[in-house]
């Protein structure tokens, strides 16, 4: 059965309600729009990631409203009852703990269900840590890729190596992640291993708050700063695009061409993958292409 087309313009004469995605401050409570505050006041209920966090915000602005927790662990179970409330004409505001809902936060499944049900969904724009950090970083803003939270351990290295392989195939973008303070140093070390110590990077910490910090420089310089100054608070990590003189793609082809002279495609890929810190599968695909030429 095919999914229902996403046709969301609201019919003002419809008896159905509306789901409002409301951006909240990422730190400084003053960073919220008048429209967002009105929506939180007038909504039939506020769907929030953590009631304790949202309570602090609405109390600050003298708002009293019903809070309904909707987070990663209960979102799917709550969807039927929330869709029913929307069908009954209620207006529900959805907020995450900070910033723009759904961006690395819960809410996607609910929005998708509302759209499929033909319900009205609107977004009230506002603060976002990734965009704030991008504008402060001094790194090229276009294009950029937001990638959420990096994986841990070997999975993190594989993820970064896959991105490096994409760069060697032509990707040139500023990459943006959120990261926890206790994992930041390990993540920076892995980035150095995969992308090289000289790659431009930046780390935004406690953005919009009293102790806001933006550290810019090479990966080696940024990593050294946080080894000497233990990171705290909310972290946004950015990696600049490869420099114009990056020779990664040419280096990979040269290494594979040399290896293919004396090794099978499989053995050449295994040998070179260990040299260039790229996934064996990616290197094998390229080796196969070169062998056919």
């Amino acid at each position: 059965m095919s999914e229902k087309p996403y046709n969301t313009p609201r019919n003002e004469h419809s008896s159905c309600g509306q789901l409002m995605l409301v951006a909240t401050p990422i730190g400084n409570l003053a960073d919220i729009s008048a429209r967002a505050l009105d929506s939180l006041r007038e909504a039939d209920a506020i769907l929030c990631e953590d009631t304790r966090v949202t309570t602090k915000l609405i109390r600050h602005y003298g708002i009293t409203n019903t809070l309904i927790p909707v987070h990663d662990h209960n979102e799917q179970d709550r969807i039927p009852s929330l869709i029913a409330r929307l069908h009954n004409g209620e207006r529900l505001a959805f907020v995450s703990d900070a910033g723009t809902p759904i961006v690395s936060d819960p809410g996607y499944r609910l929005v998708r269900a509302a759209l499929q049900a033909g319900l009205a969904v609107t977004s009230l724009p506002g603060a976002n840590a990734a965009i704030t950090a991008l504008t402060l970083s001094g790194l090229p803003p276009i294009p950029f890729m937001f990638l959420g939270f990096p994986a841990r351990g070997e999975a993190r290295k594989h993820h970064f190596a896959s991105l490096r392989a994409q760069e060697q195939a032509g990707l040139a973008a500023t990459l943006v992640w959120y990261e926890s303070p206790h994992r930041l140093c390990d993540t920076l070390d892995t980035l150095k291993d995969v992308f090289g110590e000289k790659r431009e990077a930046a780390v935004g910490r406690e953005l919009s708050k009293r102790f806001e910090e933006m550290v810019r420089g090479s990966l080696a310089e940024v990593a050294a700063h946080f080894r000497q100054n233990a990171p705290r608070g909310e972290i946004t990590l950015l990696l600049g695009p490869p420099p114009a003189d990056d020779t990664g793609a040419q280096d990979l082809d040269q290494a594979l061409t040399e290896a293919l002279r004396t090794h099978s495609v499989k053995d050449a890929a295994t040998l070179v993958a260990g040299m260039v810190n790229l996934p064996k599968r990616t290197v094998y695909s390229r080796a196969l292409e070169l062998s056919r030429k």
Side-chain angles (χ1 to χ4, degrees):
M1 183 176 179
S2 61
E3 292 183 343
K4 193 171 184 178
Y6 291 176
N7 186 10
T8 62
R10 186 178 184 185
N11 181 348
E12 293 182 357
H13 303 290
S14 171
S15 61
C16 291
Q18 185 178 49
L19 178 62
M20 302 174 289
L21 309 177
V22 183
T24 57
I26 59 175
N28 191 318
L29 291 181
D31 293 336
I32 188 168
S33 70
R35 182 182 170 213
L37 292 173
D38 287 343
S39 297
L40 295 179
R41 289 190 186 96
E42 297 168 5
D44 291 289
I46 299 173
L47 316 180
C48 58
E49 193 174 358
D50 187 327
T51 56
R52 295 167 298 182
V53 174
T54 303
T55 295
K56 293 178 183 178
L57 173 66
I58 64 175
R59 281 182 178 173
H60 180 80
Y61 285 101
I63 297 171
T64 57
N65 205 332
T66 301
L67 301 182
I68 301 174
V70 178
H71 45 70
D72 283 331
H73 303 293
N74 73 359
E75 181 181 357
Q76 192 64 50
D77 293 336
R78 287 202 182 275
I79 285 175
S81 63
L82 296 174
I83 294 298
R85 293 181 69 157
L86 291 167
H87 273 302
N88 288 334
E90 293 192 25
R91 301 178 74 234
L92 303 178
F94 190 104
V95 300
S96 61
D97 286 349
T100 301
I102 301 177
V103 181
S104 214
D105 283 321
Y108 163 75
R109 289 173 290 186
L110 175 59
V111 168
R112 190 174 181 86
L115 294 174
Q116 290 176 350
L119 293 161
V121 180
T122 190
S123 180
L124 283 65
N128 177 271
I131 298 300
T132 302
L134 182 66
T135 59
L136 287 173
S137 69
L139 297 171
I142 301 174
F144 76 93
M145 291 176 61
F146 174 70
L147 298 158
F149 283 86
R152 305 183 188 186
E154 285 300 311
R156 176 174 58 209
K157 186 170 184 178
H158 180 80
H159 169 63
F160 290 163
S162 295
L163 290 169
R164 178 59 181 151
Q166 293 177 51
E167 288 185 346
Q168 293 177 331
L171 174 67
T174 293
L175 308 179
V176 186
W177 296 270
Y178 292 153
E179 187 55 291
S180 64
H182 66 276
R183 290 202 298 266
L184 177 62
C185 289
D186 288 342
T187 297
L188 287 169
D189 286 341
T190 307
L191 285 171
K192 286 194 302 177
D193 290 342
V194 174
F195 294 92
E197 294 189 344
K198 295 181 180 180
R199 178 67 72 89
E200 279 193 295
V203 170
R205 189 181 70 81
E206 293 291 87
L207 297 175
S208 83
K209 301 180 185 178
R210 179 181 178 185
F211 297 106
E212 175 179 288
E213 178 182 35
M214 199 76 200
V215 179
R216 309 170 183 87
S218 67
L219 277 171
E221 292 167 339
V222 173
H225 171 85
F226 286 108
R227 277 196 299 270
Q228 298 170 6
N229 304 275
R232 296 180 180 179
E234 303 294 328
I235 301 290
T236 305
L237 168 62
L238 304 98
L239 182 74
D245 60 354
D246 180 54
T247 60
Q250 295 94 320
D251 292 345
L252 174 61
D253 283 1
Q254 183 177 350
L256 282 173
T257 300
E258 291 291 332
L260 286 168
R261 289 174 181 169
T262 54
H263 295 76
S264 67
V265 171
K266 181 179 179 181
D267 290 343
T270 300
L271 175 66
V272 174
M275 296 166 51
V276 296
N277 285 319
L278 290 177
K280 183 179 176 181
R281 181 181 301 177
T282 300
V283 178
Y284 178 82
S285 296
R286 184 56 182 161
L288 196 59
E289 292 177 11
L290 292 175
S291 69
R292 290 169 177 166
K293 294 179 181 180

